[in-house]
C-alpha cells in the first residue's frame, strides 16, 4: 500500500516513508491510495482474538511494507507487558441497555493518545531502518495537553530520536502540565508557549515549512518529523479499537454480528473520529459517527452547514483537549469524500489559511451528513452530565467523555434513533479531577484544595483507584522550566538543535 498527499503534489510513498515524514512535502496529509476493506469472514474472526491479535490483523492491511513479525513486535512493545492497566487494553463497559463506554485511557498517561503514541515510536524506528535513514529524527509536537505527555512517554530514550514538545502555558490542566514538565529522558525537551493551542500548532507548522531551517538541521544530521495526529502512523492504530469494540460487543452477545452501531466521539483535531470513518469505510457496520464538540464548535457548525469558519473566539473550556479551532484531520475526510480531488482540497485549505473560512459543495456536504452528526455541550452541561451519570449508573466520566454522553442524549432526542451506541471515553476521570471533583462534590468541598488533594478525595468518594501514572506527580522533580513566545517557536527549535 502506497500513500499519497491530499494536496496532490507529492509522489506516492511507502507507509514507512509516510510515517517518517509525518506531513507530505506539499503540505498535505498522507492517505492510502486505495480503499482498504475487510472481509466479513475476517471481521467475524476478530471476535475471538485478543486486542494484540486484532491490532496485527488491522495494521497489516495498511502497513504492507512491515512484516507480520515486525507488526507483532510493535504491538507487543506498545500494548503488552503491564503498560496498560487493563488486561483487555480497551475495555468496553456497559452504561445502559443501549449504550456502552469504550475506555481508551488505560495506558501510561491516562488519555486515549496512548493508543497511538505508544506504538508510533515503534513504527518510526523500524521505518528509519527501512528507508535507510541515517539522520536523527526530531519529533516536534504542539499539544493541547494530552498528546504532549503521551508522545514524551512514547519517545523518551527511543534510540535515533529526540522530541520537543510545545504546550500552551495557560491552556492545560495542572496535572497535564506537571506530567510534562517532570518528564525524564535524555532526548526530551518541553517548553511552555505564551498562547493557546492553535498558536502552538501554527508555530510548529511554520517550523515544518521552514526550508532554510530544514537544510541547517540536515547539515547537523537532524530531520524533523511529527507525532501530531497528522502523522498516518498515529491515525492507523486508532482504527483498531473501533473493530475491537465491535468484536467485544458481538462476543458478549450485546449486539448481533452484522448489526450497525453508532460511535460517539469527543472531538478536537478530528483524528479519533476520522479513524472511525476509516473503520466504517473498511466495512465495519457503523450507522452514524457522532461528533461531540465543546463550545469551540467549529466542527458542529461544519457538519450542520457545510461551512467551516474558524473566525470566532477561542474559548477555554473544562474539556481543554477539545479546545481547537483548526481540526487538521478534516482535510483527510474531505479528500476521501470528494473522491480524492486534490484540487478542491487545495482550494479549501487556501481559503481557510487566508480567510479562515471555506464552504464545501452541496454534494460533499451531503456526504458529510450521511456519515456524521454533530452537536456540542457547554461546561455546565458537562458538569451536570458527570454528576448525573455518577448518580444514575455509578460510572465516573471525565469532562471530555461527559461532552460525548451529553451529545448522545441530544442526538437521540433530535433523531429518535435507537441504534446501540458506543461512547469513546478519551481520558481517565482522574486526569481532569479538578472538574470531576467539582461536579461530584460541589464547589465548597473542593475550595482551596490542590488538584493533588482532590485526587485522593475523588478516589475516596468513588472507590475508584488513582491510576499509576498520576501518583506522586507533585513530588517528582521539575526538569523543564522554559517558556517561549508564540512567535518564537522557530527560534526555540534553532536554539535547542543548532546552538553548539
Ligand atoms: C486529544 C483528545 C481529544 C480529541 O481527539 P482528536 O483526535 O483530536 O479529535 C478528546 N479527548 C481527549 C481527552 C483528548 O486527549
Amino acid at each position: 500500500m502506497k500513500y499519497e498527499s491530499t494536496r496532490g503534489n507529492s509522489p506516492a510513498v511507502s507507509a514507512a516513508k509516510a510515517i517518517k515524514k509525518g506531513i507530505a512535502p506539499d503540505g498535505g496529509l498522507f492517505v492510502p491510495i486505495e480503499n482498504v476493506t475487510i472481509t466479513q469472514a475476517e471481521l467475524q474472526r476478530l471476535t475471538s482474538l485478543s486486542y494484540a491479535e486484532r491490532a496485527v490483523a488491522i495494521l497489516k492491511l495498511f502497513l504492507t511494507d512491515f512484516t507480520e513479525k515486525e507488526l507483532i513486535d510493535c504491538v507487543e512493545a506498545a500494548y503488552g507487558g503491564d503498560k496498560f492497566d487493563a488486561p483487555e487494553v480497551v475495555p468496553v463497559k456497559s452504561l445502559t441497555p443501549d449504550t456502552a463506554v469504550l475506555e481508551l485511557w488505560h495506558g501510561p498517561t491516562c488519555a486515549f493518545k496512548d493508543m497511538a503514541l505508544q506504538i508510533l515510536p515503534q513504527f518510526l524506528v523500524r521505518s528509519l531502518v527501512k528507508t535507510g535513514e541515517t539522520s536523527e529524527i526530531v519529533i516536534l509536537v504542539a499539544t493541547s495537553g494530552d498528546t504532549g505527555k503521551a508522545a514524551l512517554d512514547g519517545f523518551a530514550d527511543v534510540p535515533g530520536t529526540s522530541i520537543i514538545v510545545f504546550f500552551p502555558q495557560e491552556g492545560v490542566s495542572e496535572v497535564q502540565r506537571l506530567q510534562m514538565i517532570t518528564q525524564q529522558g535524555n532526548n526530551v525537551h518541553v517548553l511552555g508557549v505564551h498562547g493557546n493551542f492553535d498558536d502552538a500548532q501554527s508555530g510548529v507548522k511554520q517550523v515544518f515549512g521552514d526550508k532554510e531551517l530544514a537544510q541547517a538541521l540536515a547539515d547537523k544530521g537532524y530531520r524533523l518529523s511529527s507525532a501530531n495526529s497528522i502523522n498516518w502512523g498515529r491515525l492507523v492504530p486508532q482504527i483498531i479499537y473501533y473493530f475491537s469494540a465491535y468484536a467485544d460487543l458481538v462476543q458478549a452477545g450485546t449486539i448481533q454480528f452484522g448489526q450497525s452501531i453508532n460511535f460517539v466521539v469527543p472531538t478536537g483535531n478530528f483524528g479519533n473520529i476520522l479513524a472511525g470513518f476509516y473503520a466504517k469505510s473498511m466495512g465495519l457496520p457503523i450507522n452514524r459517527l457522532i461528533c461531540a464538540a465543546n463550545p469551540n464548535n467549529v466542527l458542529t457548525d461544519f457538519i450542520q452547514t457545510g461551512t467551516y469558519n474558524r473566525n470566532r473566539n477561542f474559548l477555554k473550556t473544562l474539556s481543554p483537549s477539545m479546545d481547537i479551532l483548526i481540526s487538521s484531520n478534516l482535510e483527510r475526510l474531505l479528500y476521501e469524500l470528494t473522491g480524492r480531488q486534490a484540487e478542491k482540497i487545495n482550494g479549501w485549505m487556501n481559503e481557510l489559511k487566508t480567510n479562515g473560512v471555506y464552504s464545501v459543495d452541496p454534494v460533499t456536504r451531503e456526504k458529510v451528513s450521511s456519515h456524521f452528526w454533530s452537536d456540542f455541550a457547554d461546561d455546565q452541561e458537562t458538569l451536570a452530565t458527570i454528576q448525573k451519570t455518577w448518580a444514575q449508573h455509578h460510572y465516573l466520566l471525565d469532562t471530555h467523555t461527559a461532552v460525548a454522553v451529553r451529545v448522545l442524549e441530544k442526538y437521540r432526542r433530535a433523531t429518535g434513533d435507537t441504534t446501540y451506541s458506543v461512547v469513546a471515553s478519551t481520558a481517565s476521570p482522574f486526569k481532569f479531577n479538578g472538574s470531576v471533583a467539582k461536579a461530584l462534590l460541589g464547589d465548597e468541598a473542593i475550595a482551596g484544595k490542590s488538584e493533588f488533594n482532590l485526587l485522593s478525595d475523588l478516589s475516596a468518594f468513588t472507590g475508584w483507584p488513582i491510576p499509576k501514572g498520576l501518583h506522586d506527580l507533585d513530588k517528582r522533580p521539575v526538569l523543564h522550566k522554559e517558556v517561549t513566545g508564540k512567535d518564537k517557536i522557530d527560534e526555540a527549535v534553532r536554539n535547542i538543535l543548532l546552538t553548539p
Side-chain angles (χ1 to χ4, degrees), residues 111-113 144 146-147 229 234 238 265-273 321-322 324 398 400 426-427 432:
F112 98 99
K113 303 292 192 290
S144 57
D146 293 335
T147 300
S229 58
R234 240 191 91 174
Q238 297 177 354
V265 186
T267 298
N269 221 358
F270 210 74
N272 195 357
I273 198 167
S321 303
M322 298 156 69
I324 291 175
D398 94 289
H400 305 75
T426 49
F432 298 92

Side-chain angles (χ1 to χ4, degrees), residues 41 54 87 110 145 152 168 317 358 379 443 449:
R54 290 170 185 166
C110 309
L152 288 164
T317 73
Y358 64 90
D379 282 352
D443 281 326
K449 293 203 174 167

